[in-house]
Amino acid sequence: MAKSKALRQEKINLDEIIGLNIRAERLNREFTRDELAEMLDLTVSHMGLIERGERGATAVTLSKLSRVLDLPIDNFFIPQSKPALREERVDTKAALRKKINSIMLNLDEEKLAFVVHVIQGLNKRAPKK
């Protein structure tokens, strides 16, 4: 019985570590919980449960997170006394590019072609510097 309780506690601790790391990365990349949940095809409330360590992230969710955040999957398992949240503002242009790339991961070929068309149109209209 004690062994079972210890294993349960270890799972709870791991869920908390994973949740804290996910939240830290989300905030570092300036995503809202809504945006990240949408990219992962989760509800916002489920995303919140995962970030708080109240619900474990599945292997599929961790795999999607790894792709969306462009991180090795093992980064989510590293215990930290405090999640490493960046104090300084992330370079806005780089942050926006990462956000666009993350969103585009879930688009089909037709939607990607449309996005390229829109960007090209915006680029043609942009004033030359």
Side-chain angles (χ1 to χ4, degrees), residues 14 17-18 20-21 72-81 83:
L14 186 57
I17 289 166
I18 291 169
L20 286 171
N21 286 327
I73 203 163
D74 59 337
N75 277 30
F76 301 113
F77 297 89
I78 300 169
Q80 299 175 22
S81 56

Side-chain angles (χ1 to χ4, degrees), residues 37-55:
E38 184 177 330
M39 287 183 245
L40 301 173
D41 198 27
L42 298 174
T43 64
V44 177
S45 61
H46 190 194
M47 190 75 243
L49 290 170
I50 291 172
E51 285 188 357
R52 290 188 302 275
E54 295 172 15
R55 172 114 0 116

Side-chain angles (χ1 to χ4, degrees), residues 1 6 9-10 19 21 24 30-31 35 38 47 51 54 60 67 76 85 89 93 98 104-105 107 110-111 113 115 127:
M1 193 63 129
Q9 186 59 46
E10 189 174 325
N21 286 327
E30 299 179 354
F31 290 143
E35 290 169 329
E38 184 177 330
M47 190 75 243
E51 285 188 357
E54 295 172 15
V60 171
R67 275 183 289 145
F76 301 113
L85 299 178
R89 291 290 274 173
K93 200 171 189 179
K98 282 185 179 182
M104 289 177 35
L105 282 173
L107 298 179
E110 183 180 336
K111 290 177 182 171
V115 170

Side-chain angles (χ1 to χ4, degrees), residues 7-116:
L7 287 174
R8 233 183 350 269
Q9 186 59 46
E10 189 174 325
K11 182 194 178 317
I12 290 169
N13 291 341
L14 186 57
D15 289 344
E16 289 173 357
I17 289 166
I18 291 169
L20 286 171
N21 286 327
I22 291 169
R23 181 174 186 272
E25 285 300 327
R26 176 178 62 77
L27 293 173
N28 283 339
R29 293 158 196 271
E30 299 179 354
F31 290 143
T32 65
R33 187 175 289 148
D34 293 32
E35 290 169 329
L36 187 57
E38 184 177 330
M39 287 183 245
L40 301 173
D41 198 27
L42 298 174
T43 64
V44 177
S45 61
H46 190 194
M47 190 75 243
L49 290 170
I50 291 172
E51 285 188 357
R52 290 188 302 275
E54 295 172 15
R55 172 114 0 116
T58 65
V60 171
T61 298
L62 289 173
S63 176
K64 287 180 183 179
L65 273 164
S66 178
R67 275 183 289 145
V68 166
L69 300 175
D70 194 28
L71 290 172
I73 203 163
D74 59 337
N75 277 30
F76 301 113
F77 297 89
I78 300 169
Q80 299 175 22
S81 56
K82 255 190 175 177
L85 299 178
R86 292 183 204 155
E87 295 294 326
E88 74 281 358
R89 291 290 274 173
V90 183
D91 174 45
T92 306
K93 200 171 189 179
L96 289 172
R97 282 186 176 141
K98 282 185 179 182
K99 194 171 192 177
I100 289 168
N101 286 337
S102 296
I103 292 168
M104 289 177 35
L105 282 173
N106 294 318
L107 298 179
D108 60 29
E109 192 173 333
E110 183 180 336
K111 290 177 182 171
L112 281 172
F114 177 74
V115 170
V116 169

Side-chain angles (χ1 to χ4, degrees), residues 111-126:
K111 290 177 182 171
L112 281 172
F114 177 74
V115 170
V116 169
H117 177 75
V118 169
I119 292 171
Q120 287 171 336
L122 289 171
N123 199 30
K124 287 178 185 174
R125 293 183 187 168

